[in-house]
Amino acid sequence: EDAGMKALDVYTELILSLTSHPSTDKLFKVFLVLQEMKGVGADPDIACYNAILKACGTAGDMSRVRNVLNRIEIDGLVPNSKSWREILRAAAIARDSSIAEEM
Protein backbone atom coordinates (compact mmCIF):
# COMPACT_ATOMS: atom_id res chain seq x y z
CA GLU A 1 0.00 0.00 0.00
CA ASP A 2 2.75 2.46 0.95
CA ALA A 3 4.67 1.74 -2.27
CA GLY A 4 1.46 2.29 -4.24
CA MET A 5 0.95 5.69 -2.63
CA LYS A 6 4.54 6.68 -3.39
CA ALA A 7 4.07 5.65 -7.03
CA LEU A 8 0.85 7.68 -7.18
CA ASP A 9 2.67 10.70 -5.74
CA VAL A 10 5.45 10.36 -8.33
CA TYR A 11 2.95 10.12 -11.19
CA THR A 12 1.01 13.12 -9.87
CA GLU A 13 4.20 15.19 -9.64
CA LEU A 14 5.18 14.13 -13.17
CA ILE A 15 1.78 15.28 -14.45
CA LEU A 16 2.14 18.59 -12.59
CA SER A 17 5.57 19.12 -14.16
CA LEU A 18 3.94 18.87 -17.58
CA THR A 19 1.41 21.63 -16.83
CA SER A 20 3.84 24.52 -17.26
CA HIS A 21 4.12 26.07 -20.72
CA PRO A 22 1.05 24.45 -22.25
CA SER A 23 1.22 22.64 -25.54
CA THR A 24 -0.69 19.91 -27.30
CA ASP A 25 2.40 17.71 -27.00
CA LYS A 26 2.55 18.12 -23.22
CA LEU A 27 -1.15 17.43 -22.84
CA PHE A 28 -0.69 14.27 -24.89
CA LYS A 29 2.14 13.28 -22.52
CA VAL A 30 -0.12 13.86 -19.49
CA PHE A 31 -2.54 11.28 -20.82
CA LEU A 32 0.32 8.90 -21.64
CA VAL A 33 1.42 9.17 -18.00
CA LEU A 34 -2.16 8.47 -16.88
CA GLN A 35 -2.31 5.43 -19.15
CA GLU A 36 1.02 4.12 -17.83
CA MET A 37 -0.11 4.77 -14.29
CA LYS A 38 -3.26 2.73 -14.73
CA GLY A 39 -1.24 0.04 -16.49
CA VAL A 40 0.87 -0.54 -13.39
CA GLY A 41 -2.20 -0.57 -11.15
CA ALA A 42 -1.86 2.90 -9.64
CA ASP A 43 -5.40 4.26 -9.47
CA PRO A 44 -5.56 8.05 -9.66
CA ASP A 45 -6.84 9.89 -6.61
CA ILE A 46 -8.46 13.33 -6.59
CA ALA A 47 -5.07 15.08 -6.31
CA CYS A 48 -3.92 13.30 -9.47
CA TYR A 49 -7.13 14.16 -11.30
CA ASN A 50 -6.74 17.78 -10.18
CA ALA A 51 -3.28 17.82 -11.78
CA ILE A 52 -4.80 16.46 -14.98
CA LEU A 53 -7.56 19.09 -14.84
CA LYS A 54 -4.87 21.74 -14.45
CA ALA A 55 -3.03 20.42 -17.52
CA CYS A 56 -6.22 20.37 -19.61
CA GLY A 57 -7.18 23.81 -18.36
CA THR A 58 -3.79 25.32 -19.07
CA ALA A 59 -4.12 24.03 -22.62
CA GLY A 60 -7.68 25.40 -22.80
CA ASP A 61 -9.07 21.98 -23.73
CA MET A 62 -12.60 22.03 -22.32
CA SER A 63 -13.54 18.76 -23.99
CA ARG A 64 -10.87 16.97 -21.98
CA VAL A 65 -11.83 18.87 -18.83
CA ARG A 66 -15.35 17.50 -19.19
CA ASN A 67 -14.01 13.99 -19.87
CA VAL A 68 -11.80 14.10 -16.77
CA LEU A 69 -14.70 15.34 -14.64
CA ASN A 70 -16.78 12.44 -15.94
CA ARG A 71 -13.93 10.00 -15.17
CA ILE A 72 -13.70 11.35 -11.61
CA GLU A 73 -17.36 10.55 -11.08
CA ILE A 74 -17.09 7.11 -12.75
CA ASP A 75 -14.18 6.28 -10.43
CA GLY A 76 -16.39 7.08 -7.44
CA LEU A 77 -14.42 10.15 -6.42
CA VAL A 78 -15.87 13.52 -5.48
CA PRO A 79 -14.46 16.72 -6.98
CA ASN A 80 -13.12 19.01 -4.27
CA SER A 81 -12.66 22.79 -4.15
CA LYS A 82 -9.37 22.53 -6.06
CA SER A 83 -11.12 20.50 -8.79
CA TRP A 84 -13.78 23.18 -9.22
CA ARG A 85 -11.13 25.93 -9.16
CA GLU A 86 -9.20 24.18 -11.97
CA ILE A 87 -12.42 23.67 -13.95
CA LEU A 88 -13.36 27.35 -13.63
CA ARG A 89 -9.81 28.44 -14.49
CA ALA A 90 -9.96 26.22 -17.58
CA ALA A 91 -13.27 27.79 -18.59
CA ALA A 92 -11.74 31.26 -18.25
CA ILE A 93 -8.70 30.33 -20.35
CA ALA A 94 -10.91 28.75 -23.02
CA ARG A 95 -13.46 31.57 -22.75
CA ASP A 96 -16.13 28.91 -22.33
CA SER A 97 -18.69 29.79 -19.69
CA SER A 98 -20.95 26.83 -20.46
CA ILE A 99 -19.32 24.53 -17.91
CA ALA A 100 -19.71 27.16 -15.21
CA GLU A 101 -23.40 27.38 -16.06
CA GLU A 102 -23.70 23.56 -15.93
CA MET A 103 -22.33 23.43 -12.38
Side-chain angles (χ1 to χ4, degrees), residues 62 66 87-88 90-103:
M62 289 307 295
R66 284 180 172 87
I87 292 165
L88 291 174
I93 290 170
R95 300 189 187 279
D96 179 353
S97 63
S98 64
I99 198 162
E101 294 166 1
E102 293 167 14
M103 298 192 307

Side-chain angles (χ1 to χ4, degrees), residues 1-74:
E1 183 80 28
D2 193 36
M5 287 304 293
K6 287 180 184 175
L8 181 58
D9 289 344
V10 169
Y11 282 117
T12 301
E13 286 302 316
L14 180 56
I15 290 168
L16 281 172
S17 74
L18 293 167
T19 63
S20 62
H21 309 293
S23 72
T24 305
D25 182 53
K26 284 189 178 180
L27 191 54
F28 177 73
K29 288 178 182 176
V30 164
F31 283 92
L32 285 178
V33 170
L34 178 62
Q35 185 178 15
E36 178 183 325
M37 198 177 126
K38 288 182 173 186
V40 299
D43 294 323
D45 62 5
I46 197 63
C48 183
Y49 276 124
N50 287 343
I52 296 167
L53 285 169
K54 182 175 185 172
C56 295
T58 301
D61 191 331
M62 289 307 295
S63 175
R64 288 210 174 162
V65 166
R66 284 180 172 87
N67 289 341
V68 171
L69 184 56
N70 187 47
R71 186 78 243 170
I72 289 170
E73 293 169 358
I74 288 170

